[in-house]
């Protein structure tokens, strides 16, 4: 449904560094950058846009697709190393469906950032 999502952050440099490190296991890189902010995504497609905001944004839940459970695990480790706060270790969330494997961290502006794989384990 979405082509891209953008939102303001209180410290663009810190948020850019956090999201790049946390989402690196999912293949996310800087695709575009300029006075309008920074566009992140895989394969030359900016899907996540960050821009500096004077106001603290309301916390969001951002869930990113992982190709497999190993990527979810790697995301969680990378996000914690980037300064994220644990909000749910990697694991099955059978309350959603039997193969829902996700991990959650709280990012710099209080956003709940998740990586999720919907495929059965290997």
């Amino acid at each position: 449904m979405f082509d891209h999502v953008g939102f303001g952050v209180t410290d663009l440099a810190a948020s850019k560094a956090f999201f790049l490190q946390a989402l690196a296991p999912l293949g996310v890189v800087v695709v575009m950058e300029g006075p309008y902010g920074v566009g992140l995504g895989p394969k030359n497609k900016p899907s996540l846009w960050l821009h500096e905001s004077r106001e603290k944004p309301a916390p969001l839940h951002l869930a990113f697709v992982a190709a497999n459970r190993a990527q979810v695990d790697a995301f969680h480790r990378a996000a914690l190393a980037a300064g994220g706060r644990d909000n749910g270790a990697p694991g099955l969330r059978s309350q959603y469906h039997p193969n829902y494997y996700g991990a959650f961290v709280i990012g710099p502006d209080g956003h709940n950032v998740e990586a999720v794989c919907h495929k059965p384990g290997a």
Side-chain angles (χ1 to χ4, degrees):
M1 177 163 52
F2 298 108
D3 180 72
H4 62 276
V5 174
F7 55 89
V9 296
T10 56
D11 182 336
L12 183 58
S15 288
K16 173 185 168 186
F18 170 78
F19 279 103
L20 280 176
Q21 186 172 346
L23 300 177
L26 307 180
V28 172
V29 297
V30 172
V31 178
M32 297 177 74
E33 191 166 11
Y36 44 81
V38 60
L40 308 175
K43 302 177 185 171
N44 298 319
K45 168 66 174 84
S47 298
L48 176 65
W49 284 94
L50 307 173
H51 66 274
E52 191 103 21
S53 174
R54 292 187 194 139
E55 298 178 23
K56 184 161 178 74
L60 302 171
H61 178 152
L62 304 164
F64 295 90
V65 174
N68 53 54
R69 293 179 181 189
Q71 279 190 344
V72 173
D73 297 342
F75 153 81
H76 192 255
R77 286 190 303 272
L80 293 177
R85 184 169 38 93
D86 181 44
N87 197 32
L92 287 170
R93 304 305 197 273
S94 58
Q95 67 270 33
Y96 303 133
H97 68 73
N99 294 316
Y100 194 110
Y101 188 88
F104 306 82
V105 297
I106 303 296
D109 280 304
H111 302 305
N112 184 26
V113 183
E114 173 187 6
V116 60
C117 176
H118 296 281
K119 299 175 184 174

